[in-house]
Amino acid sequence: MGKLYLVPTPVGNLEDITLRALRLLKEADFVMAEDTRTSGNLLNHYQIKNKLVPFHKFNEHQQVAHYVSMIQTATSAVLISDAGTPGISDPGYLLVKHCILNDIEVECLPGATAFVPALINSGFANDRFCFEGFLPQKKGRQKRIEAVRDEERTMIFYESPYRLIKALEQFGEVFGTERQVCVSREISKLHEENFRGTIAEAIAHFTETGVKGEIVIVVAGVKNSANQFDTVEN
């Protein structure tokens, strides 16, 4: 019976990978990758030659039984996404579920994920937070935002650069344009940016400068909206 390893990969800087992750990428019988071209660049950078198998959201449901069978007959297999930790707003959940149902051991390595540095960099309360991931592109989008209108915890959203302004405008309609927000862009890359201010200020900033790169939006909870920094009591 094989074993499945979920291996985080860098969200930006290629040096943000662990020694154990590199070893598993070398030793696994095969590596399942969201985009074999993107993952091929990572493996080539570290001179790793291993079999890459496509595993993405378009074939996940249809092929999950096939992948489980492949893992069962292997010694070990690795699942990676384009960036970050597999299963966090990326394919992986369904495979993990079916591996567990088939008594296949699953282990997720600690490592890179975009929302953690974005949350820490925001300066908002991080003892309790709410991860919302990607909002629906169309149907159900407004309903999802309204569902967290009174959320007291810090909220984290992933968003495409093409929909950032739209998302901020919708947040302004529901949370109010004076709600504090931090928009993190290109985390761990050369042009990383963390814009902190009100939703209105963020809209003005990105309307003027334009939006490029991967985006994480961190929104202060309703109780902390007046002041983005909380006083920590000892």
Side-chain angles (χ1 to χ4, degrees), residues 16-223:
D16 296 336
I17 192 168
T18 67
L19 295 175
R20 186 180 177 212
L22 292 174
R23 177 177 62 80
L24 289 173
L25 287 170
K26 293 177 183 177
E27 295 178 354
D29 292 87
F30 58 92
V31 176
M32 293 171 284
E34 186 178 3
D35 187 324
T36 55
R37 294 168 299 180
T38 300
S39 298
N41 291 334
L42 175 66
L43 267 60
N44 288 336
H45 179 81
Y46 286 103
Q47 299 180 341
I48 297 173
K49 298 185 182 298
N50 203 338
K51 180 181 179 182
L52 283 173
V53 178
F55 182 87
H56 45 73
K57 63 182 180 180
F58 302 108
N59 70 353
E60 186 179 18
H61 285 79
Q62 296 87 347
Q63 298 293 326
V64 66
H66 173 65
Y67 293 123
V68 168
S69 177
M70 289 177 62
I71 297 168
Q72 286 175 322
T73 57
T75 301
S76 65
V78 163
L79 173 64
I80 59 178
S81 60
D82 287 351
T85 301
I88 302 296
S89 294
D90 281 320
Y93 156 73
L94 193 63
L95 181 62
V96 170
K97 177 182 178 180
H98 281 264
C99 281
I100 292 171
L101 290 173
N102 284 275
D103 296 321
I104 297 173
E105 188 176 357
V106 177
E107 184 173 348
C108 181
L109 274 64
T113 187
F115 77 81
V116 173
L119 172 62
I120 303 303
N121 283 332
S122 72
F124 300 156
N126 55 36
D127 54 333
R128 298 172 65 240
F129 58 89
C130 174
F131 178 70
E132 287 292 319
F134 283 101
L135 292 168
Q137 292 187 25
K138 295 180 181 178
K139 186 177 180 180
R141 184 180 177 92
Q142 189 69 23
K143 185 177 180 179
R144 277 274 300 277
I145 298 172
E146 290 176 352
V148 292
R149 178 191 298 272
D150 299 318
E151 177 60 63
E152 296 182 358
R153 297 170 294 177
T154 299
M155 295 168 282
I156 305 167
F157 301 85
Y158 285 166
E159 191 53 275
S160 159
Y162 308 107
R163 291 188 295 273
L164 173 62
I165 301 297
K166 176 183 178 181
L168 290 172
E169 289 174 344
Q170 290 177 311
F171 289 163
E173 293 172 2
V174 175
F175 304 137
T177 56
E178 294 305 303
R179 179 72 65 92
Q180 291 288 329
V181 67
C182 177
V183 179
S184 294
R185 185 179 67 82
E186 294 289 80
I187 291 173
S188 87
K189 296 181 181 178
L190 181 62
H191 301 291
E192 177 175 343
E193 176 186 14
N194 295 285
F195 180 87
R196 304 173 183 88
T198 66
I199 290 175
E201 290 169 339
I203 293 172
H205 172 76
F206 288 105
T207 299
E208 179 181 352
T209 63
V211 189
K212 292 182 179 179
E214 301 299 320
I215 302 293
V216 184
I217 309 172
V218 184
V219 183
V222 66
K223 279 192 174 181

